[in-house]
Amino acid sequence: TIQKVVYAGLSDEARRTLHRRMGETLERSTSLARAHIEELARHFLRAGEPERGIKYGMEAGRELMRIYANDQALALFQGLLGLEGLPDAAVPEIAALAGEIHRLVGRFDDSLAMFERALAKLDAGDPKRGQVYAHMANIFQIKGDNDRFSDAVSRAKEIFTNSGDRRGLGMVYSTLGEIFYQRTEYEKAL
């Protein structure tokens, strides 16, 4: 098409400027931005503005997850993870969301790999590690890997306790209660 020919003839700087302008135009219109969130992310990424592109990419991915468009969300998150120069600080959240999608569709080994990637970029004292270990514990429970389940639950519990995260602790105790209930160890379930 004519559009492709013209675009191909543009310099890299002209392309970045074009994408920045398109992104900013969409961004100014709240209704357009909501309807075209993936395009907004793509334009800012192609404009060489990774912070804005990642922000909108994460928003688009969450929206895709919300409507159960898991394959699309996963492709978007994997695209973000593959970005050259992706800030280390962005990796844990993106990888954890990709891990959650893999878990939801039953690709447990892929899910664990994403959660491991998230852990690798989180500082040892970061309370977000508790959430990642809790998600991993869930997978180990499903897979019947009791040793790794116990280890992940213990780590999550310790992190949540040290950080004062009562919601996280509640999640861990709920999971443990469910396990003991399933094993008919009712006293331990309480």
Side-chain angles (χ1 to χ4, degrees):
T1 67
I2 293 174
Q3 181 183 3
K4 289 181 182 179
V5 171
V6 170
Y7 186 81
L10 294 175
S11 68
D12 288 343
E13 184 59 34
R15 287 180 189 175
R16 282 191 292 277
T17 300
L18 180 65
H19 283 291
R20 186 175 301 109
R21 286 182 183 161
M22 288 296 296
E24 288 170 350
T25 299
L26 285 171
E27 194 174 45
R28 278 192 295 274
S29 171
T30 306
S31 61
L32 277 177
R34 288 274 166 243
H36 300 279
I37 195 79
E38 286 181 77
E39 287 181 50
L40 194 56
R42 182 174 43 88
H43 283 302
F44 281 123
L45 290 169
R46 289 184 177 171
E49 295 194 25
E51 295 82 17
R52 288 164 93 180
I54 291 167
K55 172 189 164 196
Y56 289 116
M58 295 293 293
E59 196 174 321
R62 283 192 185 91
E63 177 60 17
L64 289 167
M65 288 176 73
R66 189 187 68 74
I67 62 171
Y68 300 102
N70 293 324
D71 290 336
Q72 288 175 276
L74 188 57
L76 194 147
F77 291 139
Q78 288 175 327
L80 291 175
L81 288 169
L83 285 175
E84 187 175 320
L86 178 68
D88 283 350
V91 172
E93 185 177 5
I94 298 168
L97 287 168
E100 182 61 16
I101 294 169
H102 282 301
R103 185 191 68 78
L104 287 171
V105 298
R107 293 190 295 257
F108 301 125
D109 292 335
D110 292 335
S111 179
L112 289 170
M114 284 290 110
F115 288 133
E116 289 287 350
R117 185 169 179 183
L119 285 175
K121 295 294 183 179
L122 287 169
D123 292 331
D126 193 324
K128 292 176 187 168
R129 293 177 71 87
Q131 293 291 330
V132 175
Y133 279 119
H135 286 302
M136 293 173 77
N138 177 263
I139 294 168
F140 294 136
Q141 174 194 359
I142 291 167
K143 292 180 78 169
D145 189 336
N146 294 331
D147 291 339
R148 292 174 76 189
F149 167 77
S150 294
D151 180 61
V153 165
S154 294
R155 288 175 188 244
K157 183 178 168 187
E158 179 181 352
I159 292 166
F160 290 142
T161 300
N162 292 340
S163 67
D165 184 343
R166 295 171 60 106
R167 182 175 178 264
L169 275 172
M171 182 174 64
V172 167
Y173 285 122
S174 175
T175 299
L176 288 171
E178 185 180 320
I179 297 297
F180 289 128
Y181 179 81
Q182 289 172 359
R183 293 179 183 170
T184 66
E185 297 177 38
Y186 302 120
E187 288 302 315
K188 288 182 182 179
L190 298 172

